[in-house]
């Protein structure tokens, strides 16, 4: 089944003489689903409704993780000086009533990064804020160092 789905991509790649790279995933990677499950489990345990993944915030979070990893720096400020509101607007997440962002660097798994965020008052507040109904996640590596991003939004356009 997987080979049947990848065959057209592989044939096109070989025909163009391009080196082989993995085909884009058609569904979120396992870590992404794990993180959504852990975020919503924490929210449920604290009497807060679940978040849904907003594809625009997912793009935003992934771009920010990529930026952090490529510049070897964990920060809420993009390498171009952008803040989360600017980055959210760039991907089309508009008309929101609230935004927040969690970033982390170095934790080896979803469980460890979630533990770090839940142990930090500010990050925990973002995770459990009942105003937020959308979320997007990002993960990128600088060699072996992971850079994590969670972007939260309230009532924006997904």
């Amino acid at each position: 089944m997987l080979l049947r789905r990848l065959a057209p991509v592989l044939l096109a790649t070989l025909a163009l003489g391009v080196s082989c790279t993995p085909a884009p995933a058609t569904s979120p990677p396992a870590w992404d689903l794990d993180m959504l499950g852990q975020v919503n489990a924490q929210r449920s345990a604290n009497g807060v409704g679940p978040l849904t993944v907003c594809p625009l915030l997912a793009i935003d979070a992934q771009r920010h993780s990529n930026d952090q990893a490529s510049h070897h720096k964990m920060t809420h400020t993009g390498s171009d000086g952008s803040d989360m509101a600017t980055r959210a607007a760039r991907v089309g997440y508009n008309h929101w009533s609230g935004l927040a962002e969690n970033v982390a660097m170095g934790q080896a798994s979803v469980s460890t990064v979630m533990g770090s965020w839940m142990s930090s008052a500010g990050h925990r507040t973002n995770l459990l804020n009942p105003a937020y109904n959308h979320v997007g996640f990002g993960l990128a590596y600088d060699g072996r160092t992971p850079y994590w991003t969670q972007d939260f939004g309230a009532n924006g356009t997904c």
Side-chain angles (χ1 to χ4, degrees):
M1 182 64 128
L2 178 61
L3 185 55
R4 193 174 298 147
R5 286 191 305 175
L6 291 178
V9 173
L10 293 174
L11 289 174
T13 300
L14 292 172
L16 293 173
V18 178
S19 63
C20 291
T21 57
T26 56
S27 62
W31 72 265
D32 201 7
L33 296 174
D34 185 18
M35 184 169 287
L36 181 62
Q38 289 193 39
V39 165
N40 283 334
Q42 289 292 340
R43 289 172 66 88
S44 178
N46 287 277
V48 183
L51 297 173
T52 59
V53 172
C54 172
L56 297 175
L57 287 179
I59 291 167
D60 185 35
Q62 186 59 55
R63 286 180 180 173
H64 190 57
S65 284
N66 292 348
D67 186 48
Q68 291 178 94
S70 68
H71 290 89
H72 321 289
K73 184 178 180 182
M74 183 186 76
T75 178
H76 290 286
T77 304
S79 62
D80 62 356
S82 61
D83 60 13
M84 187 190 171
T86 301
R87 294 189 303 270
R90 284 182 189 158
V91 298
Y93 189 76
N94 298 312
H95 310 295
W96 47 266
S97 57
L99 292 172
E101 183 173 73
N102 288 346
V103 295
M105 177 186 86
Q107 294 85 348
S109 69
V110 170
S111 294
T112 55
V113 75
M114 284 295 296
S116 294
W117 282 328
M118 290 304 291
S119 296
S120 162
H123 296 106
R124 180 183 175 90
T125 296
N126 290 341
L127 276 157
L128 300 180
N129 188 326
Y132 300 131
N133 56 341
H134 298 138
V135 69
F137 306 121
L139 171 61
Y141 289 86
D142 163 13
R144 294 173 57 168
T145 304
Y147 289 78
W148 303 88
T149 304
Q150 292 179 325
D151 282 348
F152 302 93
N155 307 313
T157 53
C158 282

